[in-house]
Amino acid sequence: MAFITDKQTLEDLSIFGKYGANSIFEIFNRCITRGGTALLEEMFRHPLSDYKMINQRSETIRAFAIANINFPFKSSLFDEIEIYIANLDERTRLGAQNSIGKRIGNVIGTDIQTQQIYKGVNALMELLKIVLSFIHSLQLNAGHAYAAERTLINNIVEQPDFASLAEIQGKLSHNQLVIYDGLLRFQHRQSVLALLRHMYQLDVYLSVAYTAQKKSFVFPKALPNDKPVLKIEGVYHPQVNNAVPNTIDINQQRNVLFLTGANMAGKSTLMKAVSIAIYVAHLGFPVPAAGMEFSVMDGIFTTINLPDDLGMGTSHFYAEVLRIKKIAQELNQNKNLFIVFDELFRGTNVKDAHEGTIQVVKGFAKRNSSLFLISTHIVEAGEILKVSCPNVLFKYLPTYMSNSQPVYTYELENGITADRHGMLIVKNEGILDILEAGIAKYKSVKNFIADQQTFEDLNLLGKFRANSIFGIFNKVKTPGGERLLEDMFRNPMTESEKINERSDIFQFFQQKKTRFPISKESFEQAEHYLSGSVSGNFLTASAQIFLKKIMESLVRDEQYRAIHSGLLATIEMLLTLRNFLKTLDSAMVKEAVAILNDKRLAWLTTEQGNQQLSTINIARYDQLLRKTMRKEIEIVLKTIYQLDVYIAVSNVARDRGFSYAKALPSEKRSLSASRLWHPGLENAIANPFSIDRSNNVIFLTGANMAGKSTLMKSFGIAVYLAQMGFPVAAEKMQFSVYDGLFSSINVSDNLNKGYSHYYAEVLRVKEVAEEVSSGKNLVVVFDELFKGTNVKDAYDATLAVTTAFSKYRNCIFIISTHIIEVGEALKKDSSNIQFSYLPTVMEEGGVPRYTYQIREGITNDRQGMIIIENEGIMKLLGIEASNNSHSIDMRATKSVFNKL
């Protein structure tokens, strides 16, 4: 059975990293050859699930690490061989006839392919000599882990044809090259490929052995999978500087490790460290630990940085529920798995998170053929599990206070934490001090501000990103139009006059119901032609054209034909554009109209439809378009790009029913919209918005899956598009111009900087606080503030931060939370906060129905546990729905909130 995992796990553990950077793969990739790197990646993508194969590979690499052997080949040798052996064309055999009747190889150095063949044969000769020397130098006994592979290599290189080539001293003659080319490239091709594969394998072994030696990694011992065992001494994360090691010991009798600890105590890092060790151990590779023994598992699944999925209509909580369901289904197939959940159900309210954690952990605990590592901030759940689940092991990472500063040991201790320092971290970062210092003197902002987190939260940019907002509008026909569209997306405006001016242009084209007039093929050919240049004066340029004409006749040179066809395409494009512009009465095209009516271009009409231009006219027109009037033609091309964007965007607006927002001066400080929806969702529910200086904060609540994140994204996207002067997904909208937009919806941890999920949230809030307090007029969107901490700290921090932000009446804020008790506290002291919620209606049979329509007030809906049960997770895990769940929930809720 193949070892199983998934994309979420690979991303959680940075096995390959984003764009290959900072990955576990790169720690081990010291390969010399491209083939070695490719083989190493293949190994990483396919961990082993047989303990004998794991131990055999491990012993092989360990032996090389002890021997401290270097890879004896240069990478250039393999580059030449790979190019050579990839050529299967029989016509390129040395001494054979090629396609035009010329004997290949008679004149050395006159043909690139011939040179590659010569280099390839010589490189293989050198490779064989080094291989023979290397394998004979290895002192291996019969039981050595690499002995069998050495025998296979030896059998290849000692074949008579290979052995005879390796014995040749000096330079090969042409006749020898002819003979060995036929032998190596055709007759013994499979043997050559097998030898290369062995060398790539050796490259991987030595690369991993080097990493083991350099980093002092240890080689784990794999055990049969008849019963689960995991013993890791001194495990640490290989990408964390000065990482603190820890010991983990779980087995069939204690198959669930329940991990607690304060924010930044190191839970996520520890969970990743253990998971990486298990993944790498299943490769047969050394691990960052002092010692490790493990039973082979059928797979590993982690859930650490799980985003929502708006394209699938999935909230963060529902994404968690579906993740648990997927894993429960895998467990139901009698697989022995290693499962990791970091902060179960952090995307829901306390009541549902408490009961959901208890029920799911109970279900996991029953599956004693698998091992589980689960962390949570709902420490009250641990107290109940202590009584009901004897096979759950309780560990925590402690925090000690020193002069009001938390000190983290990062060393595991037995039990359940009592530490709660989330609010202290907020205070130590100075967030409240920043906000309470007051607004700095306002400085006008030339460029609208938004950052990468906001771009990703709202899925604004990206040609190839699924369901991106850029992708919705990217219906342009020209590469230049696409570049201009991207530039507009990256540079929203901050002046109401310019915003409205662009908006008016879009509306002009929308009313015209215009289609882009130039065919894609014609424009691409013309653009390519015009991108070239002409050097010298007319006489010189004419001489060059005539020379190209002669060369076309003599040797079928394509340059003359390319200029001719490019010129014809340009003539067609300019005439089409000139006719099209006559139908427009817009100031934006006046300059292009004047250029196209220039008397120097009068010949365009004369040549219309002429498919065979004279050589002298080609020279004349070419000189004019690509040199004399080059600047004017660039203006025309720029106009075409603009037309492309305006037509494409206006057509999208008409087809999708978008409208155009009216921009007001920044001092108005208001924003209103009727029937605003998410432009990327089909059949999206529209909602109204109204926010101004007197009510500058919307405090949003609602049950899981009620639509909070979607609503907030809809709002943020509408603001961004409106500042661009683009159409928005709304019936009507008007807004005062703002200086920037910041969102915090899917903030992940940052292990490279040592940031936990909660600390990443805190730093994000601090970053926004600094921008707000600098005097900028901003739009801020926070989805579920401080969901990465315990309930008490989340309550305190959400209340304090929301209160502090609300005082900045020049900015507008939308803040959502599951801690609805914060709303009740805010009602007492804040007059400028609007309280809104998205309701859930319970249908017959206990099925929730979501209206997705905003209402005034604070929700009382809590249906998280119902969603879990409706997805069949409890049944999959063998847990019956609890009849006394309400009493359990109330005890939990009281135990948490009696401290508030």
Side-chain angles (χ1 to χ4, degrees), residues 21-22 239 750-755:
N22 301 317
Q239 293 173 310
N750 189 328
L751 190 59
N752 294 325
K753 294 183 178 180
Y755 296 167

Side-chain angles (χ1 to χ4, degrees), residues 234-246 269 273 288 409-411:
V235 66
Y236 60 93
H237 198 293
Q239 293 173 310
V240 174
N241 293 330
N242 304 315
V244 176
N246 275 288
T269 302
T409 69
Y410 307 113
E411 294 179 348

Side-chain angles (χ1 to χ4, degrees), residues 63-309:
F64 281 120
I66 293 171
N68 194 22
I69 296 172
N70 294 321
F71 191 62
F73 309 96
K74 295 179 180 178
S75 62
S76 57
L77 202 63
F78 290 88
D79 295 340
E80 291 170 355
I81 294 171
E82 287 161 3
I83 293 171
Y84 166 70
I85 205 68
N87 184 357
L88 294 173
D89 191 344
E90 288 277 355
R91 296 171 300 175
T92 63
R93 280 178 179 266
L94 289 180
Q97 295 286 340
N98 70 7
S99 59
I100 60 173
K102 174 185 171 184
R103 289 187 63 82
I104 300 177
N106 289 337
V107 184
I108 298 175
T110 60
D111 182 85
I112 294 175
Q113 264 187 342
T114 304
Q115 291 180 32
Q116 290 173 348
I117 293 168
Y118 279 28
K119 287 180 179 179
V121 175
N122 280 290
L124 266 169
M125 180 175 69
E126 184 180 348
L127 177 73
L128 288 167
K129 290 178 179 180
I130 299 173
V131 169
L132 280 165
S133 173
F134 177 76
I135 62 172
H136 290 154
S137 69
L138 292 176
Q139 302 298 317
L140 307 180
N141 55 44
H144 193 283
Y146 194 66
E149 192 157 350
R150 187 183 73 166
T151 300
L152 293 173
I153 297 170
N154 199 59
N155 291 340
I156 295 173
V157 297
E158 290 191 354
Q159 292 180 44
D161 290 333
F162 286 176
S164 64
L165 178 59
E167 290 173 359
I168 295 174
Q169 301 297 320
K171 190 176 181 181
L172 293 171
S173 69
H174 178 70
N175 287 337
Q176 287 175 316
L177 284 165
V178 170
I179 293 168
Y180 281 111
D181 175 46
L183 292 171
L184 297 173
R185 195 151 54 104
F186 298 99
Q187 185 175 334
H188 297 307
R189 174 181 171 77
Q190 293 306 315
S191 293
V192 172
L193 293 174
L195 179 61
L196 288 176
R197 175 83 177 184
H198 284 299
M199 294 304 99
Y200 298 151
Q201 188 92 40
L202 178 65
D203 192 10
V204 170
Y205 288 157
L206 295 178
S207 173
V208 177
Y210 172 84
T211 299
Q213 188 182 47
K214 192 77 174 176
K215 293 185 174 289
S216 300
F217 288 177
V218 300
F219 290 87
K221 181 181 179 182
L223 305 172
N225 66 348
D226 52 347
K227 55 182 180 180
V229 173
L230 176 61
K231 293 181 180 179
I232 318 181
E233 296 178 10
V235 66
Y236 60 93
H237 198 293
Q239 293 173 310
V240 174
N241 293 330
N242 304 315
V244 176
N246 275 288
T247 295
I248 301 289
D249 187 354
I250 49 179
N251 50 49
Q252 196 166 29
Q253 289 71 42
R254 289 290 186 94
N255 70 312
V256 180
L257 194 157
F258 191 85
L259 180 65
T260 56
N263 304 112
M264 298 176 63
K267 299 187 299 299
S268 298
T269 302
L270 175 62
M271 299 175 92
K272 290 180 182 180
V274 174
S275 302
I276 289 167
I278 290 172
Y279 191 95
V280 170
H282 279 81
L283 302 172
F285 286 7
V287 299
M292 180 173 176
E293 188 175 274
F294 70 103
S295 60
V296 171
M297 311 298 289
D298 295 327
I300 178 173
F301 292 95
T302 68
T303 308
I304 298 174
N305 286 319
L306 185 68
D308 59 10
D309 189 340

